[in-house]
């Protein structure tokens, strides 16, 4: 072995500037699934936001003279200032004479609100519990057995039980949908934490005395972000669906609040004669859930390195 | 001699456009004769694997495409062969064995079935005949009890046995060409020696031509008839083993050969500094207990006694599973020892809680094997280096100034602190890891296979750096390695471990001159290229 006296290597002193990898944003913008899904979801969100502006009437206004009208039928109603106005019911009216179009627009608010809230809350809770289970060995088997127990109960049954324990309302519904979603997030986060905690850079951080909390936030949790975004969108889609199911079964949000599930429940009895009552909210529900799922698929394709290899 | 069985001429393979050079291999020409072992040597990125894969037609489609030259296998150009023809050639005329025998074998098929598959695809033999052939080839590669191994799954075999199964699978149809892509790199030295012996035996007995890819000059010296040296996609030197290893012409070959550490330990001064680290009866038992039941236990390390003085290097040498890393991780308190004591200064850190350990965390630092995973890819190099000092209350600015100094100490530009790990090479990353460890001003530095993943030339530099910082900071260096050559160069004393037990320890020079324990002797016997006299540039 030749004895070199200096430490400095002969060449290559500075890290070579590497061509910057295509950023995540650029990849996301190129992915057709992400574009399509995000566009539809944003349109739904926008519809929900501006519902009061574009809706022709009040979503709860009952008009006994205009019950069960077919789509595009017209009715006249007395406005608050005493004048009469003619309203075109784009999607007809229900058995109480409420404008279905207005109610569907307002329904987008509830669905999107429930979907996003459930996704955020379950991801937040799931991340905390999952990190604890993955990092602290002694907590692991205890937490995971509880989660196994929760996962053994069908999500909708669990939601029904939780709703029946308290008064109906949007908060109750959100909690009822969140609880069964949490174990899935916990499992995901735990598995990532379990593998990342064995990484040498995490062990190096332990040996330089990094306390547990900064260690988790700096070195471990960033690895969970991408899978959580993906899983979060799928939770969001399933939450929108479960909310509609609960409302349809009459155990979710009170029937006077316009939600897609409620509108469909209302139209169920006369569904053979007036299918529009179920058809239009059904289409909105299907399109929204489909869009969120497409978005989730696109996100997974771009964010998950395993999917990239397969392509 | 008759026609060579493999004739590569002017082979060029393009890299994708955004690569760091335009060709993966450029105008490569060499040949392999029947019954000859040709070693292709080079560091990572030299294009040696790409060459082998293009012979087999296994280059990733769309990313690497041969753009020129020809590869003649018994006169047939495989570059022009149809996919169907290539499939027929693979297995019958040429076959390949890979580095990692665990991942190259299918875990859900028995070993017998996997060898049988080759026969099923390429021949019309009846089941009974095939089975006879499989058992015969298993016998030929010296697998113990072929009948049992026929029905065994890969995970039930040892690494060496798996590699034998791979070789059996490759040779069952008597191909004229065997391509071996670093087949022994993942194996322990004693197993490596056996596999090398097997490959040369097969080549002699069957007259197979072997294209052997390796980065290890010891292996080359042991088995090669001819050597092809590659650098950055080009052949820089080619000739008989004698000629290349003893009279290297090209400067790159000379540099590579000089970088191979010798097995003769240099003389080292006696060290009488106070003892910095001492373990007594240190044991670690892994219990595979579950929630409902307690099952078997593994003694990863039992009753290990060691002492390291300030400024001294203690090497722990052993094969995989010997417990050498476990000892290191116990001392760094990354795992909790089951029993025994670890004295650092006047503290026994073996049983301390994480809170009490804080002073120990300052004193004891570790450098890991894999430079690609020991830095957080999401954090800049500077952030990684200052993390420790900041944890212990050093103001941010001061820590950063210190990090700049450390960067120049380890031979990197201080301005590179803002860069991210992926912008550095493996050797540079290992330097950064050493800087991170030094930022804590430690008294004990543990290097856990710290140079094992590096190319020889880079390895030398990192070893020199470690030597230098040991001297400069009077560090007690605990050097874990499986490589006797490296251990010979850097260690004052060596401890040999096997199955969790220390079998022998002593001063490096004495241990190398006269190993006592049979296992140590076996380890020395197995060191590749042990008896070969390399040409070396005289030391400066």
């Amino acid at each position: 072995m030749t004895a070199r006296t200096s430490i400095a290597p002969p060449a290559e002193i500075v890290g070579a500037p590497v061509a910057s990898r295509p950023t995540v944003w650029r990849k996301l913008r190129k992915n057709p699934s992400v574009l399509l899904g995000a566009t539809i979801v944003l349109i739904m969100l926008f519809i929900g936001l501006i519902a009061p502006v574009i809706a022709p009437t009040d979503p709860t206004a009952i008009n006994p003279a205009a019950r069960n009208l077919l789509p595009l039928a017209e009715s006249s109603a007395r406005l608050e200032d005493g004048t009469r106005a003619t309203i075109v019911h784009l999607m007809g009216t229900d058995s109480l004479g409420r404008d279905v179009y207005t109610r569907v627009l307002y329904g987008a608010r509830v669905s999107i609100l429930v979907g996003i809230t459930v996704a955020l809350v379950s991801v937040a809770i799931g991340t905390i519990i999952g990190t604890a289970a993955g990092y602290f060995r002694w907590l692991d088997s205890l937490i995971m057995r509880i989660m196994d127990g929760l996962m053994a109960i069908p999500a909708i049954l669990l939601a029904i039980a939780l709703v029946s324990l308290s008064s109906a309302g949007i908060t109750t519904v959100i909690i009822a949908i969140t609880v069964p979603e949490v174990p899935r997030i916990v499992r995901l986060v735990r598995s990532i934490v379990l593998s990342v905690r064995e990484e040498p850079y995490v062990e190096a951080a332990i040996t330089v005395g990094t306390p547990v909390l900064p260690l988790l936030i700096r070195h471990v949790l960033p690895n969970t972000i991408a899978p959580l975004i993906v899983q979060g969108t799928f939770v969001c889609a399933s939450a929108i669906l479960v909310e509609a199911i609960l409302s349809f079964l009459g155990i979710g949000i009170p029937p006077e609040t316009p939600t897609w599930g409620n509108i469909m429940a209302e139209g169920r009895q006369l569904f053979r004669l007036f299918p529009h009552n179920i058809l239009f909210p059904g289409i909105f529900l299907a399109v929204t859930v489909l869009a969120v799922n497409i978005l989730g698929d696109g996100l997974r394709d771009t964010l998950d390195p395993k999917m990239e290899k397969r392509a | 001699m008759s026609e060579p069985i493999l004739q590569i001429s002017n082979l060029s393979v393009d890299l994708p456009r955004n690569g760091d050079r335009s060709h993966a291999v450029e105008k490569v020409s060499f040949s392999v004769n029947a019954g000859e072992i040709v070693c292709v040597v080079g560091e990572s990125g030299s294009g040696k694997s790409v060459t082998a894969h293009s012979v087999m037609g296994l280059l990733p489609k769309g990313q690497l495409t041969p753009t020129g030259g020809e590869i003649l296998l018994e006169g047939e150009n495989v570059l022009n062969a149809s996919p169907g023809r290539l499939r027929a050639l693979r297995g019958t005329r040429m076959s390949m064995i890979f580095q990692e025998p665990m991942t190259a074998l299918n875990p859900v098929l028995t070993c017998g079935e996997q060898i049988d598959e080759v026969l099923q695809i390429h021949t019309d033999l009846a089941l009974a005949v095939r089975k006879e052939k499989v058992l015969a080839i298993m016998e030929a590669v010296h697998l113990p009890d072929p009948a049992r191994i026929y029905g065994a799954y890969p995970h039930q075999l040892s690494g060496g046995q798996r590699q034998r199964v791979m070789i059996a699978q490759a040779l069952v149809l008597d191909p004229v060409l065997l391509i071996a892509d670093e087949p022994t790199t993942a194996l322990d030295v004693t197993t490596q020696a056996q596999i090398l012996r097997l490959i040369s035996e097969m080549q002699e007995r069957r007259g197979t031509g072997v294209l052997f890819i390796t980065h290890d000059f010891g292996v080359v010296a042991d088995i090669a008839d001819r050597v092809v040296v590659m650098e950055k996609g080009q052949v820089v030197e080619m000739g008989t083993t004698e000629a290349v290893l003893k009279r290297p012409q090209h400067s790159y070959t000379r540099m590579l050969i000089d970088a191979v550490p010798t097995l003769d330990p240099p003389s080292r001064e006696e060290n009488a500094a106070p003892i910095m680290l001492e373990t007594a009866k240190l044991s670690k038992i892994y219990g595979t207990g579950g929630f409902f039941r307690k099952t078997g236990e593994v003694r990863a390390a039992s009753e290990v006694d060691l002492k390291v003085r300030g400024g001294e290097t203690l090497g722990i040498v052993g094969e995989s599973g010997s417990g050498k890393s476990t000892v290191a991780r116990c001392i760094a308190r990354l795992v909790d020892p089951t029993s025994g004591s670890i004295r650092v200064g006047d503290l026994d850190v073996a049983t301390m809680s994480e809170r009490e350990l804080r002073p120990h965390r300052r004193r004891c630092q570790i450098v890991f094997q894999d430079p690609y995973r020991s830095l957080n890819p999401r954090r800049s190099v500077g952030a990684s280096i200052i993390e420790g000092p900041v944890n212990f209350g050093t103001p941010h600015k001061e820590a950063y100034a210190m990090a700049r100094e450390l960067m120049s100490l380890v031979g990197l530009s201080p301005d590179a602190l803002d860069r991210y790990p992926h912008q550095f090479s493996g050797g540079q990353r290992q330097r950064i890891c050493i800087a991170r460890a030094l930022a804590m001003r430690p008294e004990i530095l543990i290097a856990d296979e710290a140079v094992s993943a590096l190319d020889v030339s880079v390895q030398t530099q990192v070893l020199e750096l470690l030597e230098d910082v040991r001297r400069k900071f009077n560090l007690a260096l605990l050097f874990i390695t499986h490589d006797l050559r490296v251990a010979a160069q850097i260690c004052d004393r060596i401890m040999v471990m096997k199955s969790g037990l220390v079998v022998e320890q002593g001063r490096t020079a004495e241990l190398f001159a006269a190993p006592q324990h049979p296992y140590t002797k076996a380890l020395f016997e197995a060191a590749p290229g042990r008896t070969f006299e390399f040409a070396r540039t005289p030391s400066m």
Side-chain angles (χ1 to χ4, degrees):
Chain A
M1 181 190 253
T2 54
R4 287 193 197 92
T5 37
S6 79
I7 306 176
E12 47 160 21
I13 303 293
V14 188
V18 167
S20 66
R21 291 175 285 186
T23 58
V24 175
W25 271 119
R26 205 172 306 155
K27 272 201 268 174
L28 284 180
R29 277 206 312 252
K30 270 193 202 158
N31 186 306
S33 306
V34 173
L35 279 182
L36 179 69
T39 312
I40 298 176
V41 172
L42 284 178
I43 289 173
M44 287 296 170
L45 186 66
F46 187 66
I47 288 176
L49 283 177
I50 61 162
V53 184
I54 55 170
T57 57
D58 185 297
T60 53
I62 296 172
N63 185 353
R67 287 179 295 148
N68 293 325
L69 291 179
L70 292 176
L72 297 176
E74 289 178 11
S75 76
S76 61
R78 190 190 296 275
L79 297 183
E80 275 169 29
D81 57 4
T83 54
R84 293 190 78 81
T86 312
I87 302 166
V88 181
H89 299 288
L90 283 175
M91 301 180 186
T93 58
D94 65 9
S95 56
L96 295 173
R98 294 175 296 196
D99 181 38
V100 174
Y101 175 58
T102 310
R103 288 174 68 76
V104 166
L105 293 184
Y106 275 89
R109 293 183 147 193
V110 178
S111 288
I112 303 259
L113 177 73
V114 169
I116 291 176
T117 316
V118 168
L120 290 180
V121 174
S122 59
V123 163
I125 298 175
T127 305
I128 294 169
I129 301 180
T131 310
Y135 196 80
F136 302 103
R137 293 256 159 96
W138 54 275
L139 261 176
D140 187 31
S141 44
L142 180 71
I143 289 178
M144 289 324 286
R145 292 305 82 74
I146 296 173
M147 292 301 141
D148 287 350
L150 274 178
M151 285 185 98
I153 308 168
I156 291 187
L157 276 190
L158 187 61
I160 292 174
L162 286 171
V163 169
S164 67
L165 285 178
S166 57
S167 61
I170 198 157
T171 323
T172 320
V173 168
I174 287 174
I175 295 172
I177 303 174
T178 304
V179 171
E181 292 291 351
V182 166
R184 289 192 221 172
I185 305 282
V186 169
R187 287 200 155 188
L188 176 73
V189 172
R190 168 180 175 269
S191 69
I192 297 167
V193 172
L194 270 182
S195 64
V196 172
R197 61 169 289 171
E198 305 290 335
E199 287 290 317
Y201 66 80
V202 174
E203 299 197 318
I206 296 173
T207 47
V208 296
T210 309
V212 173
L213 200 60
L215 180 84
L216 289 173
I217 293 171
R218 264 182 233 161
H219 299 288
V220 178
L221 288 181
N223 293 289
T224 63
I225 291 174
L228 278 179
I229 290 174
V230 175
Q231 189 65 28
T233 50
F234 292 130
V235 167
C236 175
S238 116
I240 292 173
L241 214 51
V242 174
E243 181 273 320
I245 293 170
L246 290 177
S247 297
F248 185 77
L249 293 175
I251 45 177
I253 295 164
E256 66 273 14
T257 317
T259 78
W260 293 336
N262 278 343
I263 305 170
M264 287 192 273
E266 217 283 322
R268 187 172 54 107
Q269 274 157 348
L270 295 172
F271 133 82
R272 296 203 168 192
L273 296 169
F274 308 107
H276 60 267
N277 258 346
I278 285 195
L279 183 67
F280 290 110
I283 290 173
F284 270 72
L285 178 64
V287 167
T288 310
V289 173
L290 186 66
V292 177
N293 275 322
I294 291 174
L295 175 65
D297 275 341
L299 288 172
R300 192 183 53 202
D301 290 351
T302 36
L303 297 179
D304 187 344
K306 275 185 227 132
M307 300 296 290
E308 201 171 314
K309 271 183 214 151
R310 203 184 294 172
Chain B
M1 199 176 281
S2 61
E3 259 295 93
I5 51 168
L6 176 73
Q7 173 81 51
I8 300 179
S9 33
N10 282 325
L11 175 72
S12 293
V13 176
D14 273 5
L15 275 180
R17 214 164 298 132
N18 49 8
D20 57 345
R21 58 176 200 249
S22 60
H23 296 284
V25 296
E26 204 176 352
K27 300 219 180 325
V28 166
S29 307
F30 62 88
S31 61
V32 181
N33 294 315
E36 182 187 46
I37 298 184
V38 175
C39 274
V40 179
V41 203
E43 296 188 290
S44 48
S46 61
K48 52 192 195 303
S49 279
V50 170
T51 311
H53 281 81
S54 20
V55 175
M56 288 296 283
L58 288 176
L59 291 179
K61 286 217 170 56
Q63 291 170 36
L64 293 170
T65 32
T67 46
E70 53 184 13
I71 300 174
L72 298 177
L73 179 74
E74 296 184 301
E76 180 179 356
N77 190 352
V78 296
L79 288 182
N80 297 335
S82 68
R85 179 69 190 142
L86 266 178
R87 265 198 302 278
L89 285 173
R90 285 185 212 129
T92 56
R93 309 312 296 151
M94 57 182 176
S95 56
M96 187 160 179
I97 52 178
F98 298 89
Q99 175 172 347
E100 186 46 75
M102 187 67 230
T103 48
L105 289 173
N106 186 340
V108 298
L109 290 179
T110 67
C111 297
E113 283 168 349
Q114 298 191 46
I115 302 175
D116 187 50
E117 197 182 2
V118 182
L119 294 171
Q120 252 181 47
I121 293 169
H122 295 287
T123 67
D124 308 321
L125 300 173
L127 180 72
V129 186
R130 291 205 312 261
K131 178 147 189 188
E132 212 166 280
K133 260 185 120 67
V134 171
L135 290 177
I137 189 83
M138 281 182 157
E139 189 85 53
V141 297
H142 307 300
L143 276 166
D145 197 358
R148 181 181 62 83
I149 290 190
Y150 187 94
Y153 289 93
H155 72 267
Q156 296 169 311
L157 306 182
S158 70
Q161 286 172 335
R162 278 182 220 135
Q163 200 58 285
R164 280 169 198 273
V165 171
M166 284 279 299
I167 294 172
Q169 191 183 22
L171 293 180
V172 67
L173 281 174
D174 268 319
V176 291
L177 176 69
L178 175 68
I179 300 177
D181 188 358
E182 304 253 8
T184 57
T185 309
L187 303 176
D188 288 324
V189 272
T190 48
T191 325
Q192 163 170 315
Q194 293 164 12
I195 295 293
L196 290 179
R197 219 174 301 136
L198 175 69
I199 290 178
S200 38
E201 182 192 324
M202 289 292 120
Q203 161 258 335
E204 267 165 38
R205 223 195 291 162
R206 297 170 172 251
T208 317
V210 180
L211 178 60
F212 196 103
I213 316 268
T214 184
H215 65 276
D216 188 335
F217 271 94
V219 172
V220 175
D222 273 0
I223 70 162
D225 296 313
R226 284 195 300 129
V227 185
V228 176
V229 184
M230 287 187 73
E231 183 197 12
K232 295 192 178 133
Q234 286 167 327
V235 174
V236 295
E237 187 161 0
M238 175 153 53
T240 62
T241 309
E242 279 283 310
V244 173
L245 295 193
K246 293 199 169 161
R247 295 177 299 279
Q249 302 298 317
H250 195 274
S251 59
Y252 180 72
T253 317
R254 272 204 292 274
M255 189 275 286
L256 280 184
I257 291 177
D258 283 344
V260 179
T262 62
L263 278 167
D264 308 317
S267 65
R268 285 179 164 267
E269 65 271 34
E270 198 74 39
N271 188 320
I275 288 171
M276 211 78 110
L277 166 72
E278 183 175 5
T279 70
K281 296 201 179 313
L282 179 67
S283 299
K284 172 68 189 174
I285 299 167
Y286 284 104
T288 47
F291 190 58
F292 295 113
R293 62 204 175 108
K294 277 256 184 268
T295 49
E297 51 179 46
V298 179
R299 286 188 162 266
S302 48
E303 313 221 323
V304 174
D305 297 332
L306 60 83
K307 285 190 187 118
V308 195
R309 296 173 188 274
E312 185 189 44
T313 306
L314 173 69
I316 304 183
V317 178
E319 304 192 309
S320 52
S322 62
K324 55 191 192 309
S325 278
T326 305
V327 172
R329 295 162 64 82
C330 281
I331 292 169
R333 277 305 304 271
L334 285 168
V335 293
D336 301 333
T338 313
S339 63
S341 70
I342 304 167
R343 298 200 70 83
V344 176
D346 45 5
L347 296 174
D348 183 358
V349 297
T351 50
M352 282 185 168
S353 69
E354 186 59 44
R355 195 177 297 274
E356 296 168 312
L357 269 176
R358 277 188 84 73
H360 179 58
R361 295 271 180 238
R362 281 218 91 140
R363 280 180 177 173
C364 176
Q365 287 299 305
I366 184 163
V367 178
F368 296 94
Q369 171 172 7
D370 189 344
Y372 291 90
R373 285 165 57 198
S374 35
L375 290 167
N376 187 341
R378 290 185 174 81
R379 291 170 71 76
S380 73
V381 165
S384 287
I385 294 179
I386 67 170
E387 178 165 10
V390 170
N391 283 337
F392 283 90
T394 312
H396 206 275
K397 242 189 182 144
E398 210 172 290
Y400 207 79
M402 194 165 80
R404 289 183 69 90
E405 275 172 41
L406 284 168
M407 282 294 268
S408 33
L409 179 79
V410 299
L412 294 169
S413 160
D415 299 324
L417 278 179
D418 296 330
R419 295 179 184 249
Y420 285 83
H422 72 267
Q423 294 171 295
F424 294 87
S425 69
Q428 290 172 332
R429 286 185 216 196
Q430 214 56 316
R431 288 170 190 276
I432 294 165
C433 291
I434 292 172
R436 171 174 61 189
L438 292 178
M440 299 294 281
R441 305 236 170 280
E443 293 164 8
I444 302 165
L445 183 64
I446 302 171
D448 188 356
E449 299 273 14
V451 297
S452 304
L454 306 174
D455 281 327
V456 270
S457 57
V458 184
Q459 194 173 36
T460 321
Q461 295 165 11
V462 173
L463 282 177
E464 276 162 17
L465 173 62
L466 278 172
E467 275 286 84
D468 225 86
V469 298
R470 174 188 63 85
R471 231 172 283 136
K472 197 172 251 164
F473 300 103
N474 196 33
L475 291 172
L477 184 59
L478 191 61
F479 194 87
I480 318 284
T481 185
H482 67 279
D483 188 337
L484 286 171
R485 291 177 178 275
V486 171
Q489 292 313 311
I490 194 169
C491 301
D492 293 301
R493 285 187 301 117
I494 287 183
M495 198 167 100
V496 182
M497 284 188 75
K498 185 187 192 247
S499 320
L501 291 164
V502 178
V503 297
E504 185 166 1
Q505 59 176 318
R507 298 185 51 77
T508 308
E510 289 158 23
L511 198 84
F512 271 75
Q516 298 300 315
H517 194 275
Y519 178 71
T520 318
K521 285 181 190 161
L523 218 50
F524 282 17
E525 298 271 295
R530 181 172 51 103
T531 51
F532 199 88
E533 287 294 318
F534 290 99
R536 283 176 198 283
T537 319
S539 299
M540 283 176 272

